[in-house]
Amino acid sequence: MNPANTGAKPLTLALSKGRIFDETLPLLAAAGIHVSENPERSRKLILPTSDPDLRLIIVRASDVPTYVQYGAADLGIAGLDVLAEHIRDHPGGLYQPIDLNIARCRLCVATREGFDYHEAVRQGSRLSVATKYLHASREHFGRKGVHIDLIKLYGSMELAPLVGLADVIVDLVSTGNTLKANHLVPVETIAEISARLIVNQAALKTRARALAPLLDAFGRAAQPQPA
Ligand code: ATP
Ligand code: PRP
């Protein structure tokens, strides 16, 4: 794709499999780049693309910023949820040029049906909060002046209020089906989430010519489509 880069080390784009990978494929296709292997079927962690100057690496969603920050990947795609938590622990080293408008969802507070959240907050009750989003939760409840006990979980947050582990959860909501299936209700939105392109800040300078066409292509493909 980029004559300036032919023969040089390929650019490395870090992605997680599942929805980020699936929703990134059309953006790459819009840039004329195709990926023939699917990480759900292949066990390979390094995938070539139709562009010899670009390869993909498949990592856990929450590890994408780490690979990019350390320069093991030149660029990556990560949800704002993951990115915001990462940056609070490890500031610097990442440039976030583009909101890709994919993997859209909301970071929400949710409770069991019948739990009077607003009354609990009004009374100044101490709440137990199960989440993998420790920083976002601390800041959200801090702003509201609500005292909380944080319980760190890595997944299946919806279970916590059902089995008495926590009063509320802070988790991602898209269709709301997972909450509904577990008799939970969203009571507050903390943030609108979408996936962002992130770029290693050193690569931005040292690999500027190789990166430019890819950043342009992502920028064009990520524009919201006219109705
Ligand atoms: P890990 O494997 O590290 O635990 P994960 O299971 O959260 O990560 P995914 O479920 O693939 O990984 O989510 C990747 C990103 O997609 C999230 O960081 C978030 O930005 C977004 N996302 C998560 N759930 C939804 C959803 N239901 N709808 C839309 N986007 C979502
Ligand atoms: C995410 C999130 C919720 C669910 C919300 O889970 O953690 O459980 O999506 O989506 P909905 O509102 O459309 O039901 P995901 O599907 O990624 O599962 P995982 O985090 O357990 O991998």
Side-chain angles (χ1 to χ4, degrees):
M1 184 185 101
N2 177 11
N5 196 34
T6 305
K9 185 171 156 260
L11 286 173
T12 299
L13 170 66
L15 288 178
S16 52
K17 62 183 175 185
R19 61 172 58 86
I20 297 273
F21 180 85
D22 297 344
E23 295 189 34
T24 298
L25 285 187
L27 302 184
L28 288 172
I33 298 169
H34 301 277
V35 184
S36 55
E37 290 186 77
N38 183 333
E40 300 291 350
R41 288 192 289 275
S42 150
R43 301 290 298 167
K44 282 192 197 166
L45 299 175
I46 302 179
L47 304 181
T49 72
S50 59
D51 180 349
D53 296 327
L54 179 70
R55 64 178 186 169
L56 310 183
I57 60 172
I58 305 300
V59 303
R60 285 286 295 264
S62 43
D63 290 336
V64 167
T66 306
Y67 277 84
V68 178
Q69 187 158 28
Y70 282 92
D74 301 291
L75 64 177
I77 297 180
L80 184 58
D81 52 322
V82 161
L83 205 48
E85 294 291 311
H86 177 90
I87 286 166
R88 281 165 179 103
D89 288 327
H90 314 280
L94 289 176
Y95 172 62
Q96 294 180 51
I98 301 168
D99 179 350
L100 294 171
N101 266 311
I102 58 170
R104 299 190 65 90
C105 52
R106 307 182 308 281
L107 185 66
C108 289
V109 181
T111 66
R112 257 183 301 115
E113 285 168 5
F115 180 88
D116 194 342
Y117 171 73
H118 296 288
E119 182 59 14
V121 166
R122 201 189 59 78
Q123 286 181 354
S125 308
R126 196 174 180 92
L127 293 176
S128 53
V129 180
T131 188
K132 65 177 172 187
Y133 303 104
L134 299 183
H135 291 293
S137 301
R138 223 177 261 128
E139 286 164 21
H140 175 71
F141 290 105
R143 277 193 299 272
K144 291 171 68 72
V146 174
H147 295 286
I148 58 169
D149 295 311
L150 276 173
I151 300 163
K152 166 89 180 181
L153 290 178
Y154 293 87
S156 301
M157 259 78 78
E158 291 86 358
L159 188 59
L162 304 181
V163 295
L165 180 64
D167 300 315
V168 310
I169 60 169
V170 169
D171 194 15
L172 301 173
V173 179
S174 173
T175 59
N177 290 341
T178 311
L179 291 183
K180 228 175 268 159
N182 292 291
H183 307 288
L184 303 180
V185 284
V187 289
E188 246 162 18
T189 296
I190 299 178
E192 297 291 331
I193 303 294
S194 57
R196 309 297 160 110
L197 186 70
I198 52 175
V199 185
N200 174 276
Q201 262 176 353
L204 203 60
K205 298 197 183 87
T206 58
R207 311 214 57 191
R209 288 184 68 199
L211 280 167
L214 197 56
L215 298 191
D216 282 351
F218 272 121
R220 277 195 306 275
Q223 295 296 325
Q225 299 303 311

